[in-house]
Amino acid sequence: MEFKVIDHPLVKHKLTILRDKDTPSSVFRQLVDELVTLLAYEATRHVRVTPKQIETPIQPMEGEVISTPRPIVIPILRAGLGMLSGMTSLLPTAEVGFLGMKRDEETLAIETYANRLPQDLTDRQVFLVDPMLATGGTLVAAIDYALERGARDVTCICLVAAPEGVKHVEEHIGQRADVTVVVAALDEGLTPQAYIRPGLGDAGDRLYGIVDQ
């Protein structure tokens, strides 16, 4: 597994405002969109392309376009949905799938409540998006879904990560596939309740408001 922290002044600036507890939801959503676009630029560095012959207003030339089968972007609901626009702004031709997952706050077990993915992901480049990489359980489950369907090239984009979660993903994936994790920051660790510290709080609640259970 390859792990990348994007060290860029704009990323640090936007992430600082994002972390601030006084940042309102409207600004939070805008910053998530902007941060994802910055992260996606690096995360898509190795997206596959094929040559294409075109004619400019001046002369013929050979350029490059994104290969088929198209990449697929998979937000992990619900918080990952706030990252979708930033990804599709850079990959407008990508297909979009959805995984609905939630963590039991007592047992920390991952429950999948929605799965809208193609049955066959062979030869597809998969981009999983989720704001938080905390324990790593949700991301591991999502990666497993993709691998079970034939994917072997998976890139995960998160805003912040805890070392415990990164270690869990790395140990679980091993050498089974080409997996890359791209984040804006590697934080200090987890609280006893498995929240990232200093983190940015509950990303879903800050994006969309608190939902009664």
Side-chain angles (χ1 to χ4, degrees), residues 23-54:
T23 297
S25 288
S26 58
V27 177
F28 192 92
R29 286 192 293 269
Q30 179 183 345
L31 287 169
V32 167
D33 189 68
E34 293 173 359
L35 266 172
V36 172
T37 302
L38 292 171
L39 297 178
Y41 182 79
E42 178 62 33
T44 56
R45 181 174 296 276
H46 300 297
V47 69
R48 290 193 288 267
V49 295
T50 54
K52 181 178 181 180
Q53 195 69 28
I54 64 169

Side-chain angles (χ1 to χ4, degrees), residues 14-30:
K14 294 177 187 297
L15 184 58
T16 297
I17 301 173
L18 196 73
R19 291 183 190 273
D20 192 329
K21 65 182 180 62
D22 294 323
T23 297
S25 288
S26 58
V27 177
F28 192 92
R29 286 192 293 269
Q30 179 183 345

Side-chain angles (χ1 to χ4, degrees), residues 63-93:
E64 293 180 335
V65 294
I66 293 177
S67 299
T68 55
R70 295 176 294 163
I72 182 168
V73 177
I74 304 172
I76 300 174
L77 306 180
R78 70 182 164 123
L81 194 60
M83 302 173 68
L84 180 58
S85 176
M87 284 297 299
T88 55
S89 66
L90 282 189
L91 285 174
T93 61

